[in-house]
Amino acid sequence: MVAVTPETGQDRALADAFEAAVAADERVEPRDWMPEEYRASLVRQMAQHAHSEIIGMQPEANWITRAPSLRRKAILMAKVQDEAGHGLYLYSAAETLGTSRDELLDKLHAGRQKYSSIFNYPTLTWADVGAIGWLVDGAAITNQVPLCRTSYGPYARAMVRICKEESFHQRQGYELLLALSQGTEAQHAMAQDAVDRWWWPSLMMFGPPDDESAHSAQSMAWRIKRHSNDELRQRFVDIAVPQAETLGLTLPDPDIKWNEERGHYDFGAIDWAEFWDVLKGNGPCNEQRLSQRRRAHEEGAWVREAAAAHAEKQAQAHVQHEEARV
Amino acid sequence: MVLAQRLGEWAGHAPVLEEEVALANIALDLLGQARVLLSLAGDEDELAFLREEREFRNLQLVEQANGDFAHTIARQLYFSVYQQLLYGELAAGDGPFAPLAAKAVKETAYHRDHAEQWTLRLGDGTDESRRRVQAGLAALWKFTGEMFRPVEGLDLDAEAMAALEARWLAAVTAVVEKAGLTLPEGPRTGAWTAGAGRQGLHTEPFGRMLAEMQHLHRSHPGASW
């Protein structure tokens, strides 16, 4: 029998209390004790989520200057602005775990932390903006609504705010596609082409199948995740199929069929080779997305330095002023 | 609208996330103001997407390319101080633009504060930031006179315009000096810049900006979006 030292005995008690609290659906807060793996797992997931918001600005921002009406331009600008805001919430939430935005951004820029694989696909036409709203935001919401009840408090609270805005964006994307689908022949074709290109990448947003998902089991045990990748993917397909019918657009999968027995839609096989390839950095826009992000950061360095230098001078002036009064 | 378009180009390229939010926010306010104004004159999309370059009446100042962040801030400083003073006067009056101006004056107060704060930070930041913001102020100086020139077809009170110009100059001078910068020298109007944008005479970057902005709309005549 291995002797239990007082220290490990104490850790065990803390770990037991943590497990019990999580199992009882209590929220974990920044000052609470938590296992190091839980902390690391959350930092990884929240950073990836934050990075996805800011990299995700690029494919849509690509169309801001070309939006075909002023109303659509305003909607798109507001959406991209919201995404920057989501990035801000999520970096702040991640900072409660003892990391910093600068550190996380450095890791993103160095390619050491990931962002959602979906943003490595290009926005080739205006309809892609609608397909992103409907499918990509739709998939994101399916993933994120359960995160409003995730075990880590700051993350859960950030998600409540984010989900409200995301569902608004999704409705706008759907409405954009509907306008195109019911518009001229050329507009309808543009909408169909966009859906054809974004459907499969959207299904890949839920991550690898359950039996190949490295972090799933632990994340679910800790209630960081509440549902498995495949469960959420199925939920998304079940919602999207009837929406596509209402839109008057088809989905590029001949195997989609209602399965009475399961009470779900069956669907075709995902090209996992493509998924892993994009994840490894070989997607159509990986290089472009990361280099734009790095460039914005590098070209903005002098601005951040100026702001810091000014703040420092202000602080010194304040100290001198205080000293003069004494 | 033209300035909103320019600020929209910053999306995804700003130096910090907070500025992604701020620049998009300002662009959205300006676009909102433009939509109200254009709707008063006709169909907003027809006016935005189907006019030729020579039919646009915007100031040359707002069509200038973004340049670096300091250049953008200099453009914002010149324009937002002007806009806030102008909307303040329109809001106080009882003309047709008073209701629009009452809303816009609050937005432009925020834009002005943003531009002033950044002028201070850059002017009183590092040597490089001071050099860059000074260069931005200098490059755009010659476009500032147009804001106060008579506009063909509009019956503007010359005395009120001169008063507005004096207030603008005083406000900009105060910020520039507080930031440890110097007010650019040289004329604020030239043969080409004096009221030229108001007559549909623009600078070269403007045509390219419009080409990008209007391309999709013009490719689908009569379509609705």
Side-chain angles (χ1 to χ4, degrees), chain B residues 64 71 74 78 133-143 184:
Chain B
Q64 297 310 305
H71 198 266
Y78 290 154
V133 71
Q134 190 69 65
L137 290 169
L140 295 164
W141 184 245
K142 66 176 176 188
F143 298 106

Side-chain angles (χ1 to χ4, degrees), chain A:
Chain A
M1 200 175 140
V2 181
V4 177
T5 66
E7 204 188 327
T8 55
Q10 196 188 15
D11 280 357
R12 177 73 44 80
L14 286 167
D16 287 346
F18 175 84
E19 300 283 346
V22 166
D25 259 343
E26 282 174 33
R27 285 278 161 80
V28 180
E29 295 299 334
R31 287 181 197 163
D32 294 343
W33 184 91
M34 61 189 87
E36 272 317 301
E37 299 78 26
Y38 176 85
R39 186 184 299 273
S41 188
L42 269 172
V43 168
R44 195 193 68 246
Q45 185 175 335
M46 290 163 76
Q48 183 171 329
H49 195 160
H51 298 334
S52 300
E53 295 283 356
I54 62 168
I55 295 279
M57 293 167 69
Q58 290 183 30
E60 294 177 290
N62 184 35
W63 282 93
I64 285 180
T65 56
R66 293 178 287 169
S69 74
L70 295 185
R71 175 171 164 263
R72 294 289 179 198
K73 191 191 290 287
I75 290 173
L76 186 57
M77 269 183 184
K79 182 180 180 189
V80 173
Q81 183 193 16
D82 282 347
E83 281 158 5
H86 296 172
L88 278 172
Y89 300 157
L90 288 163
Y91 285 120
S92 300
E95 284 181 337
T96 63
L97 291 164
T99 181
S100 71
R101 195 208 302 186
D102 287 347
E103 192 183 329
L104 297 177
L105 281 174
D106 285 347
K107 285 184 181 159
L108 168 67
H109 298 152
R112 284 167 54 214
Q113 280 179 343
K114 296 195 186 314
Y115 55 87
S116 177
S117 62
I118 194 80
F119 301 120
N120 293 313
Y121 290 87
T123 45
L124 302 178
T125 71
W126 169 249
D128 290 30
V129 171
I132 288 183
W134 175 44
L135 294 173
V136 175
D137 292 341
I141 292 163
T142 309
N143 258 329
Q144 292 173 6
V145 164
L147 289 174
C148 297
R149 294 183 297 122
T150 193
S151 58
Y152 188 57
Y155 193 20
R157 289 188 287 274
M159 289 318 304
V160 172
R161 293 182 65 174
I162 290 172
C163 282
K164 278 184 199 153
E165 293 178 347
E166 291 286 7
S167 44
F168 186 56
H169 298 161
Q170 198 220 0
R171 279 205 299 279
Q172 289 171 331
Y174 182 85
E175 194 254 327
L176 190 164
L177 277 185
L178 191 63
L180 292 180
S181 179
Q182 297 178 344
T184 65
E185 214 171 297
Q187 286 176 307
H188 182 90
M190 193 193 278
Q192 183 62 59
D193 168 63
V195 169
D196 288 347
R197 282 181 289 108
W198 287 91
W199 171 250
W200 290 109
S202 300
L203 291 192
M204 294 178 198
M205 285 175 69
F206 296 92
D210 291 348
D211 50 12
E212 286 176 51
S213 179
H215 306 290
S216 268
Q218 185 61 75
S219 288
M220 284 178 71
W222 277 329
R223 303 217 175 173
I224 295 174
K225 276 177 77 159
R226 319 278 314 199
H227 308 278
S228 81
N229 295 352
D230 288 333
E231 255 174 75
L232 292 170
R233 190 170 6 247
Q234 180 70 59
R235 188 179 293 181
F236 174 68
V237 171
D238 290 347
I239 295 169
V241 172
Q243 287 179 339
E245 283 165 12
T246 312
L247 279 172
L249 297 170
T250 58
L251 296 171
D253 179 358
D255 294 332
I256 288 183
K257 203 177 155 215
W258 178 251
N259 182 327
E260 191 66 51
E261 209 171 298
R262 292 201 308 126
H264 291 291
Y265 283 96
D266 290 335
F267 55 98
I270 290 173
D271 181 353
W272 292 111
E274 175 179 323
F275 172 76
W276 293 114
D277 214 30
V278 174
L279 216 62
K280 263 184 276 171
N282 302 322
C285 297
N286 298 57
E287 181 64 36
Q288 176 190 331
R289 299 288 185 243
L290 208 52
S291 58
Q292 182 181 323
R293 183 87 268 295
R294 284 197 202 108
R295 197 165 55 244
H297 192 73
E298 280 159 20
E299 287 176 1
W302 68 270
V303 178
R304 295 190 300 276
E305 282 158 18
H310 176 70
E312 175 68 18
K313 286 179 199 173
Q314 294 289 102
Q316 276 174 6
H318 182 72
V319 169
Q320 279 166 7
H321 180 73
E322 291 294 309
E323 282 171 356
R325 279 176 54 186
V326 177

Side-chain angles (χ1 to χ4, degrees), chain B residues 71-153:
Chain B
H71 198 266
T72 290
I73 289 298
R75 192 182 59 198
Q76 285 303 113
L77 178 72
Y78 290 154
F79 188 67
S80 62
V81 171
Y82 163 72
Q83 242 195 340
Q84 206 238 340
L85 294 173
L86 183 66
Y87 279 132
E89 294 203 0
L90 290 173
D94 54 5
F97 297 116
L100 161 77
K103 179 169 182 284
V105 77
K106 291 178 203 143
E107 294 169 349
T108 50
Y110 157 73
H111 305 171
R112 177 179 171 173
D113 184 54
H114 175 263
E116 290 186 353
Q117 293 300 325
W118 270 111
T119 305
L120 290 178
R121 273 188 211 114
L122 298 179
D124 180 48
T126 62
D127 289 345
E128 185 180 11
S129 68
R130 180 160 47 250
R131 180 183 62 72
R132 286 184 187 245
V133 71
Q134 190 69 65
L137 290 169
L140 295 164
W141 184 245
K142 66 176 176 188
F143 298 106
T144 58
E146 190 186 351
M147 297 187 282
F148 311 99
R149 303 297 282 193
V151 179
E152 210 181 328

